Amino acid sequence: MSTRHQKLERHSIAFTLMILVVASIGGIVEIAPLFTIENTVEKVEGMRPYTPLEQAGRDIYVREGCYACHSQMIRTLRSDVDRYGAYSLAAESMFDHPFQWGSKRTGPDLARIGGKYSDAWHVAHLKAPRELVPGSVMPGYAFLATQRLKAERLPSLLNALAKTGVPYSGEHIEQAAQDAYRQADEEANDEDLLIERYGENVNVRDFDGDPNLVSEMDALVSYLQMMGTLVADDDRPGEKVLQ
Amino acid sequence: MAIERDKITGRNTTGHEWDGIKELDTPIPGSVKWSYGITIIIAIALIALYPAFPYFSGFTPGLLGYSSRAIVEQQVADAASERAERDKVLMASDINDLVTDSAVKEKYEAAAAILYRDNCAVCHQPDLQGKTGFPNLTDGHWLWSGNVEEIETTILYGINSGNDDERIAEMLDFGKQQMLERPEIKDVIEYIRSISGQEHNIKMSDRGDEIFTENCESCHGEQGVGGLESGAPSLVDSAWIYGSDGGALFKSIWSGRVGQMPAWEGRLSKADIRKLALYVKWQSHAGSQ
């Protein structure tokens, strides 16, 4: 029976240092590469930070717990791609804080819901899901249509996101509340300023069909209608899926 | 400190003693030691074979060249070509011939029903009878003629969908744009109720007739029979997308209507869209050509 370890065990400081070295190997191997994980996110055309209205909609999505039943990640499985469309790219959730990935679904995946149905359908369905989809277990969210969107909160929301690395500039943050109205209020002016800041692929219209109020419904539907539409099929890396 | 040999197990003790209690110096069983070593070797092998670690300009791809994306793209492409082969007849023939072909109907109706249920039923409803705001597809009243070719075009490109080849139809907001005064709108409503065979006020509807001729006929046709090329619905039948009562009609005329049908080009394959067009036509019992 070897007794060499007894010598090591009797030099307490040296032994502590040796334990530290051995334990840190695990850390170096498992954690250090993660500092470069951003390099594995492919660069694709079209991704842009969410507009203030979409971001507000995203916050409502998280607040109401939509993620408990809906995922936003089309996996690289044939069944997923057949049902929901092209698989999700890492870049497509690069501005998500927190991301909405998952594979536990009670309702369908929403990663490519944008443009699949009309605004009017989304509004009617959110108000009373079972009116349109008999047998649905989704709760109704009719109150969103009457709740005013608190746009005054948006600059500080964008500011917080800018600190986590979302590329919002001072101008984006300063104009956040006005930009939300520019997107959802048909009577607002200077929509071109919003387009200039966020690009051509922004939906500008009254989403909830109530021109008198920029509501939380406007924000949520604008978010849903944007989802999965930013990266055009032609800009995806790899082969095209649908022919 | 005295290491002694334990008589029962044949092992040495560690040499420590606490109140007369001594400890055997039994090594880790060989099987445990070996499995530990093997798991480490397997881990290193997996790291070498499969994509594993991110680094400064990407990630280690692994020796096998495994990519879940390549696999799924291959599977989807294989399935697509298999389906294309199976649906060759569908895409090679004129859709107007297919719609009357009972063999085609027998072959595709069940599959088309599933496609319809998955993609269309949330708006047009499982029985195709629609809901307020979402047109009924079974009543024989069509906005774009009801020809199966036209139905296919509508599904492909949508209505007010933002697609490059979309159909465009808009009911103007006559009230908001101050093209009509509130009493004039009320008169027109009575006129519309008269031509669609509903209860109405005769005096008001007589006045509304003239207003209708001046403002509405260019789209809705003479006497409101509808314009099949413009997507303006007939106002003389019993089919109403947004309702036929005074309130719904007032809202339509005051703030306009811009119904949306999404474009399915790109989301569904051309053959699947064709199946849906045929299905809709097959199910619309009265279907006018």
Side-chain angles (χ1 to χ4, degrees):
Chain A
M1 200 64 219
S2 163
T3 55
R4 271 175 296 165
H5 63 90
Q6 291 184 348
K7 261 189 210 142
L8 294 178
E9 283 166 13
R10 278 171 195 151
H11 293 85
S12 59
I13 290 179
F15 196 60
T16 309
L17 290 175
M18 279 183 275
I19 290 172
L20 273 175
V21 168
V22 172
S24 65
I25 291 173
I28 288 164
V29 172
E30 288 185 1
I31 299 167
L34 295 181
F35 288 109
T36 65
I37 192 104
E38 279 188 8
N39 301 327
T40 64
V41 178
E42 65 279 62
K43 311 255 178 307
V44 286
E45 288 286 308
M47 273 314 292
R48 57 159 172 83
Y50 304 134
T51 66
L53 189 71
E54 290 158 7
Q55 185 56 52
R58 191 171 196 285
D59 270 19
I60 293 162
Y61 183 98
V62 173
R63 182 190 75 197
E64 299 302 334
C66 305
Y67 55 80
C69 292
H70 297 284
S71 56
Q72 292 181 22
M73 183 178 77
I74 302 168
R75 294 168 292 175
T76 46
L77 299 173
R78 196 192 133 190
S79 51
D80 266 28
V81 173
D82 261 355
R83 180 168 177 193
Y84 300 115
Y87 55 79
S88 295
L89 304 172
E92 287 181 294
S93 42
M94 68 200 278
F95 300 129
D96 285 7
H97 295 280
F99 62 76
Q100 301 292 320
W101 306 335
S103 56
K104 184 265 154 196
R105 295 165 184 152
T106 299
D109 187 273
L110 299 179
R112 304 235 175 270
I113 196 73
K116 187 173 185 187
Y117 306 119
S118 64
D119 292 346
W121 182 82
H122 277 297
V123 173
H125 178 253
L126 281 162
K127 282 181 177 169
R130 268 163 301 286
E131 281 290 302
L132 290 162
V133 186
S136 167
V137 294
M138 180 167 132
Y141 295 92
F143 61 94
L144 294 176
T146 53
Q147 216 143 280
R148 184 184 71 87
L149 177 71
K150 294 184 187 67
E152 62 277 10
R153 279 180 59 248
L154 292 175
S156 51
L157 173 65
L158 262 58
N159 190 27
L161 286 164
K163 292 203 166 117
T164 67
V166 182
Y168 288 121
S169 71
E171 195 189 356
H172 286 106
I173 295 167
E174 221 169 88
Q175 292 287 311
Q178 291 89 325
D179 278 349
Y181 287 115
R182 281 174 187 136
Q183 193 176 353
D185 189 347
E186 282 178 337
E187 275 155 35
N189 299 317
D190 300 327
E191 276 115 351
D192 43 326
L193 292 177
L194 171 78
I195 303 287
E196 209 173 283
R197 267 191 282 278
Y198 292 92
E200 287 293 329
N201 54 1
V202 174
N203 300 315
V204 179
R205 54 182 187 248
D206 173 25
F207 292 92
D208 69 353
D210 177 1
N212 302 320
L213 178 73
V214 174
S215 65
E216 295 194 331
M217 187 68 92
D218 277 309
L220 184 58
V221 174
S222 79
Y223 174 58
L224 291 170
Q225 293 290 43
M226 173 277 304
M227 229 185 267
T229 63
L230 296 183
V231 181
D233 279 355
D234 302 336
D235 293 328
R236 290 174 60 82
E239 299 158 31
K240 268 191 82 178
V241 170
L242 241 152
Q243 16 212 269
Chain B
M1 262 327 270
I3 294 173
E4 23 183 302
R5 197 180 160 79
D6 178 55
K7 275 179 205 139
I8 299 162
T9 59
R11 299 241 176 248
N12 288 341
T13 63
T14 57
H16 301 294
E17 187 186 329
W18 297 274
D19 294 341
I21 299 171
K22 292 168 195 167
E23 183 188 23
L24 286 175
D25 190 8
T26 312
I28 300 169
S31 58
V32 173
K33 213 154 51 179
W34 277 108
S35 353
Y36 184 59
I38 290 166
T39 55
I40 290 173
I41 291 165
I42 291 175
I44 291 169
L46 288 176
I47 288 168
L49 292 174
Y50 288 94
F53 287 109
Y55 60 88
F56 298 105
S57 60
F59 57 91
T60 57
L63 296 171
L64 291 182
Y66 172 90
S67 153
S68 57
R69 289 178 172 189
I71 291 171
V72 75
E73 279 179 14
Q74 189 56 48
Q75 286 176 338
V76 169
D78 287 350
S81 60
E82 196 181 301
R83 282 178 195 157
E85 186 60 40
R86 213 167 42 210
D87 297 342
K88 223 156 90 188
V89 188
L90 216 51
M91 295 313 290
S93 321
D94 188 336
I95 190 167
N96 290 302
D97 299 335
L98 293 170
V99 74
T100 49
D101 190 334
S102 61
V104 171
K105 184 171 178 178
E106 199 179 320
K107 186 170 172 198
Y108 288 108
E109 197 175 24
I114 293 169
L115 272 174
Y116 176 88
R117 206 183 54 209
D118 285 352
N119 295 287
C120 318
V122 293
C123 290
H124 294 290
Q125 299 301 298
D127 57 4
L128 289 89
Q129 292 189 8
K131 279 264 168 180
T132 305
F134 307 107
N136 185 334
L137 303 174
T138 63
D139 59 8
H141 302 293
W142 297 96
L143 290 171
W144 304 91
S145 90
N147 177 300
V148 68
E149 221 174 318
E150 298 295 329
I151 296 174
E152 189 181 29
T153 304
T154 304
I155 302 175
L156 272 169
Y157 310 119
I159 302 166
N160 301 321
S161 61
N163 184 287
D164 292 339
D165 300 310
E166 64 182 347
R167 292 188 188 282
I168 296 172
E170 184 176 357
M171 166 73 192
L172 299 176
D173 42 352
F174 286 89
K176 264 205 208 155
Q177 297 296 330
Q178 297 174 334
M179 289 182 275
L180 292 176
E181 299 289 326
R182 201 171 277 265
E184 289 179 309
I185 294 178
K186 294 215 162 123
D187 290 346
V188 173
I189 290 173
E190 291 308 312
Y191 174 71
I192 293 169
R193 290 176 65 85
S194 79
I195 56 177
S196 55
Q198 303 180 73
E199 246 180 72
H200 60 278
N201 177 318
I202 293 172
K203 237 169 106 189
M204 286 168 84
S205 99
D206 282 350
R207 287 199 304 256
D209 190 353
E210 203 178 310
I211 301 166
F212 188 90
T213 309
E214 276 170 28
N215 295 281
C216 317
E217 255 185 30
S218 56
C219 290
H220 287 287
E222 230 168 281
Q223 318 279 304
V225 293
L228 289 182
E229 265 88 66
S230 65
S234 157
L235 303 173
V236 297
D237 56 31
S238 56
W240 297 91
I241 301 173
Y242 299 101
S244 62
D245 60 290
L249 288 172
F250 186 84
K251 201 173 168 224
S252 296
I253 301 173
W254 182 265
S255 39
R257 301 278 186 188
V258 189
Q260 260 185 311
M261 156 92 186
W264 294 87
E265 183 196 29
R267 208 176 267 280
L268 297 177
S269 72
K270 290 231 155 55
D272 282 349
I273 288 173
R274 180 153 283 197
K275 284 177 214 166
L276 283 171
L278 291 169
Y279 180 74
V280 167
K281 191 65 186 169
W282 288 330
Q283 302 301 313
S284 62
H285 316 292
S288 58
Q289 275 293 336

